[in-house]
Amino acid sequence: MAAEGGGKEMNEIKTQFTTREGVYKLLTHSEYSRPNRVPFNSQGSNPVKVSFVNVNDQSGNGDRICFNVGRELYFYIYKGVRKAADLSKPIDKRIYKGTQPTCHDFNPLTATAESVSLLVGFSAGQVQLIDPIKKETSKLFNEERLIDKSRVTCVRWVPGSESLFLVAHSSGSMYLYNVENTCGTTAPHYQLLKQGENYAVHTCKSKSARNPLLRWTVGEGALNEFAFSPDGKFLACASQDGFLRVFGFDAAELHGTMKSYFGGLLCVCWSPDGRYIVAGGEDDLVTVWSFSDCRVIARGHGHKSWVSVVAFDHCTTSVEDGDPPEFSGSDEDFHEQIHFGAGRDRANSAHSRLSKRNSTDSRPVSVTYRFGSVGQDTQLCLWDLTEDILFPHLPLSRTRTHTNVMSATTSPPATGQTTTTTTTVSTTNPSGTNGKDNASNSSTSGNPANSLPSTLPRSNSLPHSSAPTGGSTPNSHTGSSSNSNSSSTKGNSIIDSAFIATGVSKFATLSLHDSRKERHEKDHKRNHSMGHISSKSSDKLNQLSSSRTAKAEVAKTLGTTLCPRMEDVPLLEPLVCKKIAHERLTVLIFLEDCLVTACQEGFVCTWARPGKVGLLSSQNNPANSPSGTVV
């Protein structure tokens, strides 16, 4: 689902987009950047990152924002959707020489209106602890670069701690620090504490307490990002070797692993209830991994380049008690009830009910998770993870068809309407063009000629690897096709149609365990629906696998639970896929009233959630209408 239309429109930057909740609008007055508002020449500089903290001040305007641009670090009051940004008055501004800030993190436990603890990591390996409100620097860690000389890729306070923090480097090592300890004047000596498959944890040998407390070496190549689980007990690490590794943090034990389709993993995040992890990277995909099952449950394709950030939206994760209700109205009506019914309490109750769901196995609630991703292709994608993906073994009648929304702008198809778009995206793709682009331009068409049932999950374009032998997804569609014309849901996706149309003849008579290796090469290209993944993947794999051992490793993991083949897991499509910047995107953060994005030019943009845009209407003027273009 790229931007509607073609040609010039495709390259136009969007200032609003629509989902089933309503319209998200860019607030041009709430743009944060360097005070001169001049686009930053980002060649060779580190990614722009953004951190938020709430200092709980009594005025009700307690949000603070920190962002780095090149050698500069800024700290402002964040007014969000309430008031226009005043860039002339940063609370603190720092310019560094010889090294650049690469990442930062506030400690929410110690933040007050008078003082905040901000950790800043640098390109030369140091970590600074500063207080931008008091305008003081309290400590510098790894100052002599005796602990690690490589760039800091990620820094985070350990959840629930006022003094412990974790730092990852491009060397592939992570270090646990205590702000109370010094780093010592000599290089640390380490003693092995724990070792496992492709990781080791060492303690620092020292007579007196010193940093680092622990050194983790994880995988091969850079450790690009890590994220703590919501309860703080687990740690997910995304590495340049393409592996996601999830550890029990205190015991330093490996819980599970996943391998990217190809290339490195660049970003990782947890669902609000800790049940799912999403990772993105150099395969242009977002991959959803189940924490409890330790397996890939879905992949999403919408980006045309590397995925730089993934994040869950806590506020749009909808949760319902009991069995899904029967519902006959339109999608918009249904989601209006869910999303506008409870306001702020909904997000909190959603979180508590997700926790409740976590403690039982009997599915007391039904869940839709919303997450987003941004990439180097300057696009923002929003995704829904729905029950048809989470619980693929349920009877089809229980799948919630109202979650199969491609876009709030599409209209229900007329009964019996047919379309020929299946040939447009035919998986052989003779023209050599990207099948996804064709699909996006005809995404409003109705059910295809073979009358797919609406109850078939939109995203389950391929048979599940766990489906019973001989009974793949296309077979189940023939059993329930009588429901197809009574549906009030949106038209099934084009990609879905193409898969099922070619899949009926191909898979119906084959057991899933048939000689898959023999037909892999042929099917891999034909079955792909997005022609450019298969051709691109072989190119990148060849670059990646310069040595024979690397090639052997890739061959070993593809087709296993570590890295299932594309046809073995459902392929998600983005609900929204919009070009929103001129330069590559490096930030995506979901807040209560808005979502925040930032690009490498140094512009931090605020997008008001549906219904929240009126808060800034007093400042708006015609020149800044939503149809304008971001400059």
Side-chain angles (χ1 to χ4, degrees), residues 146-147 175 188-192 202-205 212 214-215:
L146 297 169
I147 296 170
Y175 302 90
H189 294 280
Y190 296 105
Q191 184 172 356
L192 185 66
H202 292 80
T203 56
C204 186
K205 281 169 62 179
L214 293 175
R215 179 185 75 177

Side-chain angles (χ1 to χ4, degrees), residues 87 95 123 242 318 353 402 505 575:
L87 298 183
I95 301 178
S123 55
S318 59
R353 283 187 284 176
H402 57 254
S505 57
L575 302 175

Side-chain angles (χ1 to χ4, degrees), residues 14 88 99-101 107 170 204 221 228 230 272 283 345 381 395 485 508 533 535 540 545 547 560 564 629:
K14 303 300 175 188
S88 63
T99 183
Q100 293 185 2
N107 193 329
S170 58
C204 186
F228 283 100
D283 53 10
D345 296 334
C381 292
N485 290 337
I533 289 196
S535 58
K540 291 215 179 175
S545 316
S547 68
T560 67
T629 302

Side-chain angles (χ1 to χ4, degrees), residues 416-466:
Q417 182 181 351
T418 60
T419 177
T420 56
T421 44
T422 312
T423 54
T424 316
V425 201
S426 95
T427 43
T428 50
N429 230 346
S431 63
T433 56
N434 181 349
K436 187 174 71 61
D437 290 343
N438 297 337
S440 63
N441 293 339
S442 44
S443 60
T444 54
S445 39
N447 284 340
N450 60 351
S451 224
L452 283 177
S454 59
T455 45
L456 250 184
R458 166 179 66 82
S459 319
N460 285 6
S461 31
L462 295 154
H464 288 283
S465 50
S466 49

Side-chain angles (χ1 to χ4, degrees), residues 227-236 246-249 253 255 270 291:
F228 283 100
S229 60
D231 61 7
K233 293 179 180 174
F234 291 90
L235 183 71
V246 182
F247 297 96
F249 182 59
E253 286 181 348
H255 169 78
W270 292 78
F291 176 79

